[in-house]
Amino acid sequence: MIIDCHGHYTTSPKALEGWRTAQLDAVARALRSPDPSELSISDDELRESLEKNQLKLQRERGTDLTIFSPRAMAMGHHLGDERASLDWSRVCNDLIHRICRLYPANFAGVCQLPQSPGASPAGCAAELERCVKELGFVGCNLNPDPSGGYWKDPPLTDRWWYPFYEKMVELDVPAMVHVSASCNPNFHATGAHYINADTTAFVQFLLSDLFRDFPGLRFVIPHGGGAVPYHWGRYRGIAQDLKRPPLEELLLKNVSFDTCVYHQPGIDLLLKVIPVDNILFASEMVGAVRGIDPRTGFPFDDTKRYIEAAPGLTDDDRRKIFEGNARRIYPRLKVTS
């Protein structure tokens, strides 16, 4: 089985965007926000949005199951207020749940959290618990920067986040570290803001004793870890200068990386630097890069091809990357080969 640990519902019906626009307009004008029950999307509309996109690509590319979450760019934690974020998160998470019920062999749910700048992460625990216990979700996406590119909240390693981590450990679910849209004009969202966040989260973990306090806490850093594999020597050196333990001991029991790296040399570097046990297959389709690479003739985000072509991997290595590591990191994932 091939498990893609990183997929977003980027092809949702237009009614969802319309509901969100109405909600944010109501917040801005201090009017009554639309009720989540006012959103009407049929099962047939959900099927149509998926059959022509994610499911079509699953079949064409030979993957089996996608760990699926709401569209990251649209989480928009910097927009509206806490109440708006909660309602928006519930609307998006309920759609993911419906998709997982329609296609239980193809999708497993990961939830959006109702984060808001300056709001305690403890307020997200109830929605995480609802999604895991009632909707059967296997993890969450955690935004390290709800301000949308201005980094106004404490680092992920600050005790400010600890109440939420306690809930993660209690439920035995991991978090993918994933920002949303950038409202800072200095940072293009997918080209800079995403990669900045991946790298920043890793360095925050490196400088802290978070995993001494939470030895069972698990994070997936997406997009191949941002700049981390390329600068592994720098981070080893920083840890050494600060008298920290080696990175393998300090972080790799708790932190993994996905394969959303869209060219063969990048994947080859990731595989040379990061241990196989810490790499999860992912494509983020249909996502940030949707075009065809003119150098290969294949889609940039067809990452399965890169793993299959990577030199030096054994069959066991590929089984871990394609399936085994995801099952270990997401123990609530109940699928059969």
Side-chain angles (χ1 to χ4, degrees):
M1 169 171 277
I2 297 180
I3 300 170
D4 185 338
C5 81
H6 189 172
H8 300 297
Y9 191 22
T10 55
T11 59
S12 56
K14 291 187 180 300
L16 180 64
E17 183 180 347
W19 188 94
R20 175 64 161 169
T21 298
Q23 182 202 44
L24 293 176
D25 181 63
V27 171
R29 298 168 60 190
L31 301 174
R32 183 192 75 84
S33 293
D35 190 89
S37 64
E38 296 174 26
L39 174 64
S40 178
I41 297 175
S42 69
D43 285 354
D44 284 343
E45 288 177 290
L46 293 179
R47 290 189 183 97
E48 183 178 10
S49 73
L50 296 162
E51 289 285 354
K52 297 178 180 179
N53 296 288
Q54 287 87 353
L55 290 170
K56 176 176 179 286
L57 292 175
Q58 278 187 357
R59 290 189 289 268
E60 289 178 352
R61 299 180 185 182
T63 61
D64 298 298
L65 179 139
T66 301
I67 297 177
F68 206 50
S69 63
R71 183 185 174 202
M73 190 74 70
M75 293 190 297
H77 292 127
H78 58 287
L79 301 172
D81 54 24
E82 287 184 68
R83 181 68 222 185
S85 185
L86 177 59
D87 287 347
W88 176 232
S89 295
R90 289 179 68 96
V91 162
C92 292
N93 292 333
D94 287 347
L95 275 183
I96 296 298
H97 175 54
R98 288 176 60 192
I99 288 168
C100 293
R101 290 183 65 183
L102 288 171
Y103 299 99
N106 298 95
F107 298 105
V110 160
C111 69
Q112 172 178 318
L113 296 171
Q115 297 177 249
S116 189
S120 170
C124 298
E127 179 63 5
L128 176 65
E129 185 163 36
R130 181 185 82 92
C131 288
V132 171
K133 290 189 173 181
E134 297 179 24
L135 308 186
F137 283 20
V138 300
C140 63
N141 287 339
L142 182 65
N143 187 348
D145 174 33
S147 72
Y150 288 96
W151 295 89
K152 295 180 179 180
D153 287 341
L156 288 173
T157 51
D158 191 272
R159 289 185 174 273
W160 193 67
W161 297 87
Y162 276 28
F164 184 73
Y165 294 159
E166 290 169 359
K167 181 59 66 174
M168 283 178 58
V169 171
E170 174 191 328
L171 296 171
D172 196 20
V173 294
M176 177 171 282
V177 178
H178 209 306
V179 288
S180 185
S182 169
C183 58
N184 185 331
N186 289 287
F187 304 118
H188 179 273
T190 57
H193 185 43
Y194 280 22
I195 308 306
N196 292 348
D198 304 333
T199 308
T200 298
F202 181 85
V203 177
Q204 289 176 358
F205 296 151
L206 184 160
L207 299 175
S208 80
D209 292 317
L210 175 64
F211 300 123
R212 183 183 64 187
D213 293 342
F214 292 97
L217 197 60
R218 300 186 303 281
F219 290 101
V220 177
I221 299 182
H223 318 116
V228 172
Y230 190 68
H231 288 285
W232 193 251
R234 175 183 291 259
Y235 299 128
R236 287 180 55 234
I238 290 173
Q240 179 175 289
D241 290 346
L242 294 175
K243 308 296 191 252
R244 308 288 291 160
L247 296 183
E248 292 78 5
E249 177 184 337
L250 180 64
L251 299 180
L252 293 188
K253 295 177 183 178
N254 307 85
V255 177
S256 298
F257 304 82
D258 79 11
T259 63
C260 290
V261 181
Y262 294 152
H263 67 149
Q264 190 69 53
I267 287 288
D268 293 347
L269 173 69
L270 175 69
L271 295 170
K272 287 180 181 179
V273 174
I274 303 299
V276 165
D277 287 344
N278 293 84
I279 299 174
L280 281 68
F281 172 72
S283 69
E284 203 176 8
M285 68 177 190
V286 179
V289 180
R290 306 186 184 190
I292 303 296
D293 184 345
R295 297 183 181 180
T296 67
F298 297 108
F300 283 100
D301 63 357
D302 188 357
T303 54
K304 178 171 173 281
R305 292 181 179 274
Y306 307 139
I307 302 302
E308 291 173 337
L313 289 181
T314 66
D315 288 344
D316 187 55
D317 290 337
R318 290 189 174 86
R319 277 193 293 270
K320 288 181 178 181
I321 293 169
F322 281 138
E323 177 182 6
N325 294 339
R327 288 181 181 270
R328 176 170 49 83
I329 301 300
Y330 292 86
R332 287 183 175 268
L333 186 62
K334 306 301 181 187
V335 292
T336 56
S337 298

